[in-house]
Amino acid sequence: DKREYYNRTGEAPEGGDGRSEKEWYDYWRAQFKRVSADDISRFEQEYKGSAAERDDLRQVYTDSEGDMCVIMDGMMCSTAEDEPRFREILAELIAAQAVEAYPAFTKEKKSKAKGRKARAVREAAEAEELSRQLGLGGAAGGSSDGGLLALIRGRQRDRAQQADNLLDALEAKYAKDAKGGKAKPKRRVKPATQPPEEAFAAMQSRAGKRKS
């Protein structure tokens, strides 16, 4: 079943009936109701402090080996204000020997934490400025569905560009070190992304199943 496959993987099934991209969009649009700012706010309230969030935090902590920058970027619905709460939960898990005490977490430098906080403040200011430029009023706070979607897409583009720039810089540095000369830049293929609304709906569905 195509809907079950999408709910499980977050991806559209390949091949089969030769539908166009628009036809696929219309098909998935009919499967899920349109996600509003109120839906996201309600999901955030239910998710924060839940067992699902705790499980996700534990998984991201383990996968990143305690890197708080990766943890804060990887946790759904998180802001800089959530970091002390996350640290408290992780400290409890470490004390209970439920997770390993990674040095990246237990011995993180103050300068790194300070830089992370400064970046969060900067990104919040950028979101407010983008909201103002687009004439969205309170969109940054979630009062406008169209504004919310624009801000999400804008941040996705920014983060993708930052990742590309970092990878290109590392690629150039290490290729030069290895060959003793300048590295030739390579074209990077951008990964396909799911429409934010459908991806969120699938995410919400999976989170609900985990609670049941």
Side-chain angles (χ1 to χ4, degrees), residues 10 21 37 57 72 89 113 116 146 157 179 181 190-191 198 200:
E21 183 177 348
L57 178 60
M72 295 307 298
I89 294 172
R116 183 168 58 250
R157 288 193 298 269
K179 298 181 180 179
K190 293 184 178 180
E198 281 77 358
F200 173 78

Side-chain angles (χ1 to χ4, degrees), residues 19-38:
R19 299 189 193 188
S20 67
E21 183 177 348
K22 182 180 183 305
E23 288 173 329
W24 273 119
Y25 177 83
D26 292 340
Y27 173 82
W28 294 120
R29 178 74 276 158
Q31 304 304 309
F32 304 102
K33 74 181 187 69
R34 187 172 296 278
V35 177
S36 68
D38 288 340

